[in-house]
């Protein structure tokens, strides 16, 4: 009897130790103490082979690797967790297993399958067995998938549902995640004041609960918002603060994003291509370590654009072909549009008219069904810019219609940089068709925006086109 009591005491004590170890690893992970978290997960692996704790080890370390930007490793561990659940069916119910699968699909960039599986799961009766936090994560995963493919209204619906549920159960970490996601939605839709409101809310919550990883991500988002509002010095400051914390946490994925954003300030605002090149190159190096295809393609296209600006056309073409081999697996309207414009640039320089016509028609078809008007205007502005610079004479379907749309809705574009790009396109379009009166009108607006917000990257073209307009008046 005494021996049996000792055994029970030993089992209970050991179970308490393993639970405490698991919880401590999660707390370390949450607060950004990733080295300590990693040690605790590894200790859990060494001290027990029990299926329950082996599952906790796989899931916990997967989340940690995800935060570190090691997406391939995170995905491998998630697969191991699901395989373990197949061997021991009592570990998880079906709803929980399917919910975890949506996370794995999201990490792999299989956005359409996330939406299909997630929505199907929400309609099943056994969804009620899913704990609140896991159900909220499922809603967030579906929202993230919709956001990745450019369907912002649908993403907004799922994020708001998750937010309502997190507020109801007073889960501050979950609430900060949804506030951050809502920030991104409103930022992508061009509603920067609303984005700023949600971002400040997310930052306040994350500072309160000591979520360092969340703080760095929110600082980066504040940089994005200030960037779009024309506050470029503030944006750069936020990006650099975010990069500093990402480095402290060894968050590779976060570093790639911050480096890319800093590069965009130097290239698109300051016009310092050489300085931007260094940031974009480092971003690409780190993106390849993460295994995140979307980040890799985005970084390749950004770096390729710098080589285009420096007239390194051979490198530009080589990088674009590398992006082309990867982009087929990505269902992102925004990224595919940017890639298509880069392809048009490549064939425009080569004067391959038949290929060029096919790609331009494809671009027009793509944006004609898009709900993202701002993306549509940016695409047309890029196309006009290219036509003017390369002196292209090939016809562009409905370009007159889209140009009038840009002119009519110009006031709704809150971003000074985007407004400057659209105004530049309008100037070039009217110069292209010989309407000097309208070209002059939009040139004055363009010059005003560029000078007011100190967008130095546009100054060489402002001076060059200004001289042409003045000569036309003589």
């Amino acid at each position: 009897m005494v021996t049996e009591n000792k055994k029970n005491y030993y089992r209970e004590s050991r179970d308490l130790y393993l639970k405490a170890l698991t919880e401590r690893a999660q707390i370390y992970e949450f607060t950004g103490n990733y080295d300590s978290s990693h040690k605790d997960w590894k200790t859990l692996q060494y001290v027990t082979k029990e299926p329950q704790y082996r599952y906790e080890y796989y899931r916990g370390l997967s989340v940690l690797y995800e935060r570190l930007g090691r997406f391939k490793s995170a995905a491998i561990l998630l697969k191991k967790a699901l395989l373990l659940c197949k061997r021991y069916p009592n570990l998880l119910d079906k709803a929980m297993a399917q919910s975890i699968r949506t996370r794995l699909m999201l990490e792999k960039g299989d956005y359409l399958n996330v939406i299909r599986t997630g929505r199907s799961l929400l309609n099943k009766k056994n969804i009620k067995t899913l704990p609140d936090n896991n159900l909220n994560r499922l809603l967030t995963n579906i929202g993230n998938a919709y956001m990745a493919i450019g369907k912002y209204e649908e993403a907004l619906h799922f994020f708001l549902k998750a937010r309502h549920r997190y507020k109801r159960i007073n889960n501050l970490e979950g609430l900060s995640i949804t506030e951050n996601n809502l920030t991104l939605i409103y930022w992508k839709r061009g509603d920067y004041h609303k984005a700023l409101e949600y971002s400040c809310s997310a930052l306040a919550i994350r500072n309160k609960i000591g979520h360092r990883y969340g703080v760095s991500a929110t600082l980066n988002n504040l940089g994005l918002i200030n960037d779009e509002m024309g506050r470029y010095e503030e944006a750069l400051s936020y990006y650099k603060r975010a990069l500093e914390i990402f480095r402290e946490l060894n968050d590779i994925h976060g570093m790639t994003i911050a480096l890319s954003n800093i590069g965009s300030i130097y290239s698109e605002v300051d016009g310092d291509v050489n300085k931007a090149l260094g940031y974009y190159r480092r971003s690409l190096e780190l993106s390849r370590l993460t295994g995140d295809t979307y980040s890799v393609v985005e970084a390749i296209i950004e770096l390729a654009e710098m080589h285009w600006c420096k007239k390194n056309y051979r490198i530009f073409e080589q990088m674009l072909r590398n992006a082309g081999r990867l982009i087929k697996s990505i269902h992102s309207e925004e990224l595919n549009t940017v890639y298509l414009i880069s392809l048009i640039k490549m064939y425009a320089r080569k004067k391959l008219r038949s290929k060029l016509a096919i790609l331009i028609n494809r671009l027009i078809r793509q944006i004609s069904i898009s709900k993202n008007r701002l993306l549509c205007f940016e695409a047309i502005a890029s196309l006009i810019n290219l036509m003017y610079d390369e002196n292209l004479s090939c016809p562009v379907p409905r370009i007159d219609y889209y140009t009038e749309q840009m002119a009519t809705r110009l006031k709704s574009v809150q971003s000074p940089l985007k407004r400057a790009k659209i105004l530049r396109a309008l100037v070039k379009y009217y110069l292209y068709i010989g309407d000097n009166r309208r070209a002059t009108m939009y040139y004055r607006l363009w010059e005003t925006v560029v000078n007011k917000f100190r967008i130095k990257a546009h100054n060489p073209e402002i001076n060059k086109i200004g001289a042409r307009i003045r000569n036309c008046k003589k």
Side-chain angles (χ1 to χ4, degrees), residues 159-198:
F159 288 150
L160 287 172
K161 282 184 75 171
R163 180 176 185 261
H164 174 74
R165 292 178 60 85
Y166 276 128
K167 286 186 81 172
R168 194 178 67 192
I169 62 175
N170 196 32
N171 183 321
L172 294 180
E173 181 187 6
L175 183 59
S176 75
I177 291 169
T178 54
E179 302 287 76
N180 196 56
N181 288 333
L182 288 165
T183 295
L184 293 173
I185 286 292
Y186 284 109
W187 171 70
K188 285 179 178 290
R189 290 173 59 179
D191 189 344
Y192 305 123
H193 292 287
K194 197 80 173 174
L196 191 63
E197 178 187 327
Y198 279 111

Side-chain angles (χ1 to χ4, degrees), residues 355-373:
K355 188 70 176 177
L356 194 57
I358 292 169
L359 290 171
I360 289 174
N361 277 299
R362 190 195 303 175
L363 177 67
I364 297 298
R365 282 197 306 273
Q366 192 166 300
I367 64 174
S368 67
I369 60 173
S370 173
K371 293 181 181 178
N372 188 340
R373 289 292 87 190

Side-chain angles (χ1 to χ4, degrees), residues 263-264 267-268 273-274 276-277 280-281 284 297-313 315-320 323 338-346 382 385-386 389 421 424:
S264 74
S267 63
E268 296 196 62
V273 174
N274 289 324
L277 194 68
Y280 284 137
R281 186 177 286 126
L284 177 57
V297 173
E298 187 176 43
I300 289 173
I301 294 173
E302 287 170 340
L303 190 57
E305 181 63 27
M306 295 301 97
H307 285 292
W308 172 273
C309 293
K310 289 174 71 67
K311 299 184 179 180
N312 297 330
Y313 300 123
I315 300 174
F316 171 81
E317 184 175 338
Q318 183 183 350
M319 297 195 77
L320 213 55
V338 172
Y339 170 69
L340 195 49
I341 290 167
S342 296
L343 275 183
I344 291 169
K345 278 185 177 182
M346 185 174 78
S382 297
N385 199 48
L386 183 65
D389 292 350
K421 288 178 181 178
R424 178 179 63 187

Side-chain angles (χ1 to χ4, degrees), residues 53-154:
Y53 291 107
R54 181 50 55 98
Y55 166 77
E56 293 290 349
Y57 162 72
Y58 288 143
R59 278 290 289 135
L61 198 56
S62 173
V63 173
L64 176 61
Y65 283 157
E66 187 183 323
R67 287 191 168 188
L68 292 169
R70 294 169 59 181
F71 293 101
K72 280 186 178 177
S73 299
I76 289 167
L77 287 163
L78 266 185
K79 285 180 183 176
K80 288 183 177 181
L82 290 171
L83 285 172
L84 189 68
C85 293
K86 280 187 178 180
R87 287 176 59 194
Y88 302 96
N90 293 331
L91 281 178
L92 283 182
D93 66 15
K94 289 183 179 179
M96 180 71 85
Q98 283 184 289
S99 177
I100 292 172
R101 284 192 189 96
T102 64
R103 184 63 200 165
L104 183 58
M105 293 169 196
L106 191 67
E107 288 180 1
K108 290 168 65 179
D110 191 359
Y111 305 123
L112 298 180
N113 220 358
V114 172
I115 294 165
R116 186 162 46 248
T117 305
R119 296 198 70 143
S120 172
L121 184 57
L122 289 175
N123 292 328
K124 291 181 178 177
K125 290 181 181 178
N126 61 352
I127 192 66
K128 293 178 182 179
T129 65
L130 209 60
D132 274 339
N133 284 332
N134 294 89
L135 178 54
N136 294 341
R137 287 191 197 106
L138 177 63
L139 292 168
T140 303
N141 288 344
I142 298 170
N144 278 321
Y146 273 123
M147 182 164 65
I149 62 175
K151 294 192 174 182
Y152 302 133
E153 288 300 322
E154 291 87 343

Side-chain angles (χ1 to χ4, degrees), residues 383-434:
L383 191 56
I384 292 170
N385 199 48
L386 183 65
M387 288 174 64
Y388 181 90
D389 292 350
E390 298 294 322
N391 196 25
L392 298 178
S393 57
C394 56
V396 177
R398 303 187 72 194
I399 194 166
D400 295 338
Y401 165 78
Y402 286 114
T403 305
E404 287 300 321
Q405 286 283 303
M406 285 197 300
T408 303
R409 301 190 185 185
L410 183 64
K411 289 182 180 178
S412 68
V413 180
Q414 295 184 40
S415 164
L417 185 57
K418 288 184 172 65
R419 201 181 311 141
K421 288 178 181 178
I422 291 170
L423 285 166
R424 178 179 63 187
L426 290 171
V427 172
K428 290 182 176 182
Y429 172 76
Y430 287 115
L431 283 175
Y432 192 77
I433 65 171

Side-chain angles (χ1 to χ4, degrees), residues 216-230:
S216 58
T218 309
L219 287 170
N220 182 72
N221 288 341
L222 281 165
L224 289 171
I225 298 163
N226 280 277
D227 196 336
E228 296 291 7
M229 294 177 81

